[in-house]
Amino acid sequence: MEKINFSGGEPFLHDRGEYLGKLVKFCKAELRLPSVSIVSNGSLIRERWFQNYGEYLDILAVSCDSFDEEVNVLIGRGQGKKNHVENLQKLRTWCRDYRVAFKINSVINRFNVEEDMTEQIKALNPVRWKVFQCLLIEGENCGEDALREAERFVIGDEEFERFLERHKEVSCLVPESNQKMKDSYLILDEYMRFLNCRKGRKDPSKSILDVGVEEAIKFSGFDEKMFLKRGGKYTWSKADLKLDW
């Protein structure tokens, strides 16, 4: 294993990020993984976390779907009295100060598909700007047993392509359509089961704790060719990025 990414839900929820910090430190200091990364909405991250664990983290990806606070509220990214965009700027500064590569993730959907984010992204200057087309997963964000209903957020392929065309000058942009995204991730849930998305839902394998990695991964639905095609393999260790801190 070369890279691990912690995501959620919101991974900083548990124990205000202390548990996550210990996991990050273990993966870097004990397992010596080349890359340890986190995806977060950023609302619960404090500078103290960077002071304690920043040296063990290669990449922090912060979810930002819009630079218009009203749109963030519509999407569900509102943070109460906090301004999501202002918080993003603060996190960008901490990443620079504590030598963590900064990344932005955006899900393009019905409410932000006409937005032009070029100037804001260029100003923040992330190492990567991952741009996802809103994807429906049965049982997660659509269907009878879903925790959320995302049908009203869905956009078509042509709309997604127009968004990409509008942002073609952003050199750090890495697009992921529904086709590229669905089967090109190795996802482990909290029970250490691989989640297979090939049928439009997350079907779990047996746990690697019970049957081992080699057996469980057979049921992961992982498409290695698509992983490489979408740019899944890149310079992901901050030691190799040669960033101007």
Side-chain angles (χ1 to χ4, degrees):
M1 190 165 89
E2 291 188 25
K3 181 181 189 295
I4 189 166
N5 179 57
F6 295 100
S7 62
E10 174 49 51
F12 280 86
L13 268 175
H14 185 72
D15 199 23
R16 294 186 173 272
E18 192 66 19
Y19 182 65
L20 176 64
K22 291 175 181 177
L23 289 172
V24 166
K25 183 178 180 180
F26 175 77
C27 288
K28 179 59 72 170
E30 300 295 328
L31 299 183
R32 299 186 181 277
L33 296 185
S35 182
V36 182
S37 61
I38 295 171
V39 177
S40 168
N41 67 22
S43 63
L44 299 175
I45 306 177
R46 303 292 179 264
E47 186 174 10
R48 184 175 180 81
W49 193 93
F50 282 95
Q51 292 169 347
N52 292 336
Y53 301 110
E55 66 180 292
Y56 307 108
L57 183 65
D58 289 274
I59 301 171
L60 174 65
V62 182
S63 301
C64 180
D65 296 336
S66 175
F67 289 92
D68 182 330
E69 199 59 24
E70 290 184 5
V71 175
N72 279 322
V73 172
L74 279 173
I75 291 171
R77 292 276 188 210
Q79 297 181 4
K81 294 180 180 179
K82 286 185 180 180
N83 183 295
H84 186 55
V85 178
E86 289 178 4
N87 196 46
L88 189 70
Q89 299 275 2
K90 182 170 62 176
L91 290 166
R92 177 69 183 96
T93 300
W94 286 340
C95 281
R96 184 192 65 228
D97 292 347
Y98 294 94
R99 302 190 170 219
V100 174
F102 180 72
K103 178 181 171 185
I104 296 175
N105 286 357
S106 300
V107 178
I108 308 310
N109 60 77
R110 178 59 51 211
F111 298 100
N112 65 4
V113 68
E114 301 300 332
E115 193 170 334
D116 189 336
M117 307 181 189
T118 302
E119 294 307 314
Q120 292 93 333
I121 294 294
K122 284 184 175 180
L124 287 163
N125 192 29
V127 295
R128 279 163 77 85
W129 179 33
K130 288 290 286 289
V131 174
F132 303 95
Q133 181 182 3
C134 183
L135 176 67
L136 293 180
I137 297 290
E138 185 182 338
E140 182 169 302
N141 62 9
C142 69
E144 291 184 6
D145 300 323
L147 296 173
R148 308 168 204 81
E149 293 296 333
E151 282 92 343
R152 66 194 181 101
F153 290 89
V154 173
I155 59 172
D157 295 344
E158 291 184 3
E159 292 174 295
F160 184 61
E161 288 299 324
R162 285 200 298 271
F163 182 90
L164 298 180
E165 178 65 22
R166 192 181 311 129
H167 295 87
K168 63 183 179 181
E169 294 181 6
V170 182
S171 59
C172 60
L173 186 152
V174 180
E176 287 195 19
S177 64
N178 285 176
Q179 182 187 10
K180 287 183 178 179
M181 194 190 327
K182 187 166 63 72
D183 303 324
S184 63
Y185 285 85
L186 274 175
I187 307 170
L188 281 168
D189 69 6
E190 63 271 34
Y191 303 107
M192 303 301 281
R193 303 177 302 183
F194 288 108
L195 299 178
N196 186 330
C197 301
R198 291 206 164 183
K199 295 181 180 178
R201 57 181 186 265
K202 290 183 176 178
D203 294 322
S205 70
K206 292 183 178 179
S207 173
I208 65 173
L209 302 177
D210 296 327
V211 299
V213 175
E214 288 187 18
E215 181 62 25
I217 205 170
K218 294 175 184 176
F219 302 93
S220 66
F222 180 62
D223 185 340
E224 184 179 2
K225 289 182 179 178
M226 186 59 78
F227 167 76
L228 295 171
K229 185 177 180 180
R230 70 165 171 82
K233 177 71 174 174
Y234 61 97
T235 305
W236 50 37
S237 171
K238 64 181 178 183
D240 299 327
L241 282 167
K242 300 177 182 177
L243 294 174
D244 181 6
W245 299 108

